[in-house]
């Protein structure tokens, strides 16, 4: 634990807080893009320790939260097929679709299984030649390389009973959507370090130039976030707008070339619908035509499904930093982790779940 402890050191945190207080002269609205960053900020009480000039708002970087309700409904439909073994990461099981969630399908007898790696799903397909294994491939650029590898592996092994239901999203187009919005109040972004470990941060450079907002690529431990806030506030106070890299121990400007290559081999960029937000041009990944035979939505004919989101849920506004979870009328009343109405209350990275867990109502 020594490595992590170093990034949670109290005196070092106090020193960074003093530097932030000294640097801030005016009010600033700062968005941490990633849900894991939100959870660290609230868990360690950093949101309460920062000077009152700094307002933190929470971004769309929660993969479970932004998976469109149509994709959940497609997953529910596929999981109910008797010939299908439906395989998913655990945190997708309780995300409500327009009717039910995957856990309910499992309770009704559907063969829904949880894995930690898409390669386990490929193995499952090899071990069950008489069944059709569908893997729910969701997430940002962090999970896309491993999911692409699973498809490439199944392709090489000639597996005919392995499929993926994809809902992959890309961070930079969502950041640009927020920066470009006429309602935008975010003046600087803490970009997610793990995504940039894969992609690098070149994609943010045109965004800072076009919208004159600073972006600091930031890690997930308390000291990472405090240092990220300090770097961001320093830029804001000095009137600069650049991409800076706080997470240099993991992130290079060009990212991880091997991971990017496998993603580019299997996926291509496409328009994508985000839950609560809507369609964002060129913000998702879909399987290339060469891998179309693995596309579960196409093979099982659930492509055109349209669904309705819960009307009361304001997750789209929460995910764009326009509102905070307690401003939702359902927060903590009709919507709780036990009975979630929206994905941000279910996910371990969801802002609503963080506010509920750390009592920020
Ligand atoms: S509290 Fe529940 S209903 Fe409200 S925005 Fe969050 S997830 Fe949606």
């Amino acid at each position: 634990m020594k490595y992590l402890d170093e990034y949670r050191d109290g005196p070092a945190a106090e020193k960074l807080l003093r530097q932030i207080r000294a640097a801030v002269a005016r009010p600033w609205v700062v968005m941490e893009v990633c849900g894991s960053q939100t959870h660290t900020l609230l868990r360690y009480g950093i949101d309460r320790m920062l000077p009152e000039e700094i307002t933190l708002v929470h971004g769309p970087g929660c993969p479970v939260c932004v998976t469109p309700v149509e994709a959940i409904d497609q997953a529910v439909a596929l999981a109910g097929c008797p010939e299908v073994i439906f395989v998913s990461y655990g945190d997708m099981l309780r995300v409500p679709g327009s009717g039910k969630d995957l856990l309910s399908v499992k309770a009704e007898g559907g063969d829904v299984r949880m894995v930690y790696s898409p390669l386990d799903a490929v193995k499952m397909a090899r071990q069950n030649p008489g069944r059709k294994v569908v893997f729910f491939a969701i997430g940002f650029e962090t999970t896309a390389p491993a999911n692409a590898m699973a498809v490439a592996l199944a392709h090489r092994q000639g597996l005919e009973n392995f499929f993926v239901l994809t809902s992959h999203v890309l961070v930079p187009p969502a950041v640009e959507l927020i920066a470009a919005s006429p309602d935008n109040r975010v003046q600087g972004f803490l970009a997610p370090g793990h995504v940039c470990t894969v992609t690098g941060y070149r994609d943010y450079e045109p965004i800072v130039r076009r919208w004159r907002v600073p972006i600091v690529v930031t890690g997930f431990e308390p000291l990472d976030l405090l240092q990220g806030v300090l770097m961001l506030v320093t830029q804001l106070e000095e009137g600069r707008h650049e991409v800076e890299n706080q997470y240099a121990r993991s992130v290079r400007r060009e990212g991880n070339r091997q991971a990017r290559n496998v993603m580019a081999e299997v996926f291509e960029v496409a328009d994508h619908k985000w839950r609560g937000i809507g369609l964002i041009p060129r913000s998702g990944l879909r399987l290339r035509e060469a891998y179309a035979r693995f596309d579960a939505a196409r093979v099982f004919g659930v492509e055109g499904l349209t669904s309705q989101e819960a009307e009361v849920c304001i997750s789209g506004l929460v995910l764009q930093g326009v509102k905070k979870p307690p401003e939702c009328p359902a927060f903590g009343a009709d919507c709780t982790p036990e009975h979630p109405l929206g994905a941000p209350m279910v996910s371990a990275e969801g802002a609503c779940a963080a506010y509920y867990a750390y009592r920020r109502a």
Side-chain angles (χ1 to χ4, degrees):
M1 291 302 286
K2 183 173 178 293
Y3 187 70
L4 276 184
D5 285 349
E6 287 168 0
Y7 293 95
R8 297 174 183 177
D9 180 63
E14 195 45 59
K15 186 176 170 194
L16 282 165
L17 278 165
R18 278 198 300 275
Q19 290 175 314
I20 292 168
R21 287 184 202 114
V24 171
R26 284 166 285 172
W28 299 111
V29 178
V30 166
M31 172 180 277
E32 82 283 356
V33 173
C34 174
S36 297
Q37 294 171 328
T38 308
H39 276 253
T40 300
L41 289 164
L42 271 65
R43 180 176 173 199
Y44 290 92
I46 295 170
D47 57 324
R48 288 172 166 164
M49 292 180 222
L50 289 171
E52 61 184 22
E53 288 89 347
I54 299 175
T55 302
L56 291 173
V57 293
H58 320 302
C62 161
V64 174
C65 306
V66 299
T67 300
V69 74
E70 285 84 356
I72 308 294
D73 287 350
Q74 288 172 337
V76 163
L78 295 178
C81 297
E83 73 272 27
V84 166
I85 301 175
F86 194 85
V87 185
S88 171
Y89 297 125
D91 49 3
M92 291 308 294
L93 301 188
R94 292 192 58 238
V95 180
S98 61
K100 51 181 147 179
D101 59 23
L102 284 166
L103 211 56
S104 314
V105 181
K106 188 174 171 63
E108 290 162 8
D111 195 347
V112 179
R113 304 186 195 181
M114 198 186 84
V115 288
Y116 292 103
S117 159
L119 298 179
D120 291 341
V122 176
K123 194 168 154 196
M124 221 177 271
R126 259 199 324 270
Q127 290 169 342
N128 295 274
R131 307 282 302 281
K132 294 175 177 169
V133 173
V134 179
F135 177 68
F136 202 3
I138 70 124
F140 288 97
E141 296 93 326
T142 37
T143 51
N147 293 345
M149 260 174 60
V151 173
L153 181 67
H155 181 62
R156 271 207 304 278
Q157 293 182 346
L159 282 179
E160 291 184 354
N161 65 331
F162 177 76
F163 308 92
V164 286
L165 179 62
T166 59
S167 183
H168 273 300
V169 276
L170 305 172
V171 174
V175 168
E176 177 138 36
L177 180 96
I178 293 166
S181 163
D183 301 328
N184 176 40
R185 60 185 181 133
V186 179
Q187 292 160 295
F189 293 90
L190 300 174
H194 50 11
V195 166
C196 296
T197 301
V198 173
T199 60
Y201 53 82
R202 284 182 301 192
D203 289 347
Y204 293 113
E205 291 168 354
I207 299 176
V208 297
R209 282 196 295 273
R210 204 172 296 135
W211 304 105
R212 303 176 71 80
V213 283
I215 295 178
V216 176
V217 176
T218 305
F220 304 90
E221 290 299 323
L223 295 193
D224 289 325
L225 285 154
L226 285 168
Q227 195 179 27
V229 170
L230 177 62
M231 291 165 75
L232 200 54
V233 165
T234 304
Q235 282 204 52
L236 287 164
E237 291 287 349
E238 292 175 357
R240 290 186 289 120
H241 45 88
E242 297 162 16
V243 181
E244 290 183 331
N245 182 14
Q246 181 279 329
Y247 205 39
R249 66 182 184 276
S250 177
V251 174
R252 304 283 171 272
R253 180 171 178 264
E254 67 282 2
N256 179 323
R257 196 163 290 134
Q258 274 175 313
R260 284 190 2 235
N261 286 348
V262 70
M263 266 164 67
E265 183 200 325
V266 172
F267 295 121
E268 61 188 2
V269 174
D271 297 347
H272 194 86
K273 187 178 174 190
W274 295 50
R275 186 169 187 152
I277 298 176
L279 191 87
I280 306 180
R282 298 183 59 74
S283 69
L285 296 173
R286 68 174 173 219
L287 286 167
R288 288 189 182 277
E289 204 49 43
Y291 294 94
R293 73 180 175 87
F294 295 98
D295 186 344
R298 201 190 274 201
V299 172
F300 290 84
V302 293
E303 262 180 323
L305 216 87
T306 54
S307 308
Q308 209 57 41
E309 294 179 23
E311 264 177 35
V312 68
C313 181
I314 60 159
S315 68
L317 298 176
V318 173
L319 292 165
Q320 294 175 84
V322 178
K323 295 215 172 195
K324 292 203 173 192
E327 293 176 65
C328 172
F331 178 84
D334 294 333
C335 182
T336 62
E338 291 75 33
H339 301 286
L341 293 179
M345 189 56 97
V346 182
S347 169
E349 294 180 74
C352 300
Y355 271 70
Y356 191 90
Y358 304 115
R359 300 176 193 280
R360 293 297 196 280

